[in-house]
Amino acid sequence: VGPDSGSIDMMHGPIPVILDVLHHLKEEVSWKKGFEEFRLFHVGNLRTTDPAELDPVITLQNVMDSYVSKETFQRPLCIGVFGPPGSGKSFSVKEVSRVISKKFALNPFEFYEFNMTQFSGPEEINSAIEPIRASVAKGKVPIVFWDEFDCRYDNHEFGYLRYFLPSMQDGVTYVHGTPYYIGRSIFVFAGGVKSNWAGMEELLNQKDAQAIQLVKTLKIPDFMSRLRAVLDIDGIAIDDELLQESASEEQLEDLHRILLKRAFIIAHQMDTHWKKAARKTSGLLLRLLLAKYKFGARSIEAVIEASSASDRLVYGLPELIAPSAARIHADWRIELEREVDMVRKDYNLRAVW
């Protein structure tokens, strides 16, 4: 970095943290060596510097691997995945399945996704299971993503849970009283009401007797007991407190972790949607790094995809999607961008990266 950049370490607050991650992101998208100095732990394209964050993913991988490798399992493997919208719940499961599939000559998986909020009633669960049974009949192991499984039905959140119990316990679904066996499949229940497993557990520990009775009536404990693995996924939202000059060391560590997670996503999405040989300016990367994303990683992908300009040799702020169009997914932190850019100018960093 620049000749005076060492004194940046003497600065306190979020800007040195932002500059550090920006530098690594720039190196990664330019030369594919920005993340080399980090000790990275990864499963497929899921990357982190914190091994504890990856432990549940590895557990999920082991459980899914064991299941698909043994044909003796005949009822669905049931998994819970929790996290805020756009945190990458579906992406995480797909990456785990992609890594497992490499062990086989042919990919054993087929992926199905249903949003429970679009269902008008429990009979639609049976309709959704029909293509799943057809996939099993072809010799595949379908991975079924039941998004927002905890949505409202019959005037109650978690209203659909009881209708999943026969398939979770016995591997059957009932149509007009007739049982139909589902076969080997993986049911992934993605939460929308509760953003983590702890939120589910709190439902079981309420003091109010009426609330506890409702939990039992909705079959929440029966549902939870039939899950074989649970994955919590952190979001990528940056709270304003983390960007204050008064931020504590712990808050700055959180900021660094979130920014680095964003950097991994941005680099991956740029490789996917933009010309790999094109140069990406620091101003562009800074804007993407700091933006207020409304739907997490999903919004990062949407912004980068919408900004694609295949004939460009340089990607800068002019190539980025216009604010009027971007507002669906993101708001820019213009003032903070200017503050960071002034520091880059004062410390002679602009000419270097």
Side-chain angles (χ1 to χ4, degrees):
V1 291
D4 301 322
S5 59
S7 54
I8 290 181
D9 295 336
M10 304 299 293
M11 295 176 62
H12 182 74
I15 289 183
V17 176
I18 295 168
L19 286 172
D20 178 66
V21 177
L22 175 62
H23 173 63
H24 289 291
L25 176 58
K26 177 72 172 177
E27 290 288 296
E28 180 65 20
V29 299
S30 299
W31 314 109
K32 288 287 175 280
K33 60 179 183 179
F35 303 143
E36 283 183 352
E37 70 178 59
F38 296 113
R39 187 184 178 191
L40 292 180
F41 303 86
H42 66 92
V43 172
N45 286 311
L46 296 172
R47 295 184 286 185
T48 179
T49 56
D50 182 3
E53 190 176 347
L54 209 61
D55 281 347
V57 179
I58 294 172
T59 299
L60 174 62
Q61 179 182 353
N62 292 338
V63 170
M64 288 177 60
D65 193 359
S66 175
Y67 180 85
V68 75
S69 299
K70 298 177 182 177
E71 295 188 6
T72 53
F73 293 116
Q74 290 302 315
R75 66 183 180 188
L77 170 66
C78 298
I79 295 164
V81 183
F82 299 87
S87 56
K89 297 185 288 291
S90 175
F91 177 73
S92 298
V93 175
K94 286 179 178 178
E95 278 302 297
V96 169
S97 65
R98 187 177 65 82
V99 171
I100 296 172
S101 69
K102 292 180 178 179
K103 295 176 53 178
F104 300 85
L106 296 174
N107 187 349
F109 301 115
E110 285 188 338
F111 201 85
Y112 295 84
E113 188 165 356
F114 303 100
N115 191 308
M116 299 293 294
T117 62
Q118 304 300 312
F119 285 16
S120 59
E123 66 280 354
E124 292 201 37
I125 296 175
N126 291 330
S127 298
I129 286 176
E130 277 306 303
I132 297 165
R133 294 179 65 242
S135 177
V136 173
K138 294 189 301 183
K140 293 289 189 177
V141 179
I143 298 176
V144 191
F145 203 79
W146 302 102
D147 199 12
E148 299 192 62
F149 74 90
D150 46 9
C151 68
R152 182 173 291 272
Y153 172 69
D154 197 20
N155 295 319
H156 293 293
E157 290 174 343
F158 304 96
Y160 280 114
L161 292 196
R162 71 185 78 178
Y163 301 102
F164 280 107
L165 295 182
S167 58
M168 297 176 77
Q169 179 61 32
D170 302 315
V172 299
T173 182
Y174 289 92
V175 180
H176 304 302
T178 303
Y180 291 86
Y181 285 89
I182 300 169
R184 290 204 312 153
S185 51
I186 299 174
F187 281 12
V188 181
F189 295 94
V193 173
K194 301 297 182 183
S195 61
N196 53 47
W197 178 247
M200 294 291 294
E201 291 181 321
E202 288 171 3
L203 294 171
L204 308 182
N205 300 318
Q206 299 177 86
K207 303 296 183 183
D208 183 70
Q210 189 174 358
I212 286 293
Q213 184 56 50
L214 178 61
V215 165
K216 292 179 179 178
T217 300
L218 293 172
K219 302 295 184 181
I220 294 175
D222 301 80
F223 172 83
M224 293 172 65
S225 68
R226 286 166 172 79
L227 297 177
R228 294 296 175 260
V230 172
L231 179 63
D232 282 336
I233 300 177
D234 293 333
I236 59 167
I238 301 175
D239 293 334
D240 288 338
E241 306 89 76
L242 303 184
L243 298 172
Q244 302 299 318
E245 286 298 317
S246 57
S248 66
E249 287 300 318
E250 184 177 356
Q251 288 175 316
L252 293 177
E253 287 176 7
D254 283 344
L255 176 62
H256 190 270
R257 177 182 57 80
I258 295 169
L259 287 175
L260 202 53
K261 191 170 184 178
R262 286 182 169 210
F264 292 151
I265 297 169
I266 291 167
H268 175 68
Q269 293 299 337
M270 283 187 170
D271 274 354
T272 302
H273 296 290
W274 289 5
K275 288 179 66 174
K276 295 181 182 180
R279 187 170 69 86
K280 290 86 176 178
T281 67
S282 296
L284 169 70
L285 297 175
L286 180 63
R287 178 155 295 179
L288 291 172
L289 202 57
L290 296 180
K292 294 181 180 179
Y293 293 108
K294 299 178 182 179
F295 308 106
R298 198 179 306 147
S299 290
I300 294 180
E301 179 180 16
V303 168
I304 290 176
E305 186 177 21
S307 302
S308 179
S310 58
D311 59 339
R312 299 286 184 180
L313 295 178
V314 177
Y315 288 97
L317 291 176
E319 281 67 53
L320 198 60
I321 184 173
S324 58
R327 63 183 179 181
I328 300 172
H329 285 281
D331 292 319
W332 313 137
R333 285 186 164 102
I334 302 294
E335 289 302 317
L336 181 56
E337 290 176 32
R338 288 172 178 164
E339 288 181 40
V340 174
D341 199 49
M342 285 300 298
V343 172
R344 292 181 65 236
K345 179 181 178 181
D346 291 343
Y347 286 88
N348 298 323
L349 296 177
R350 277 179 166 180
V352 183
W353 50 273

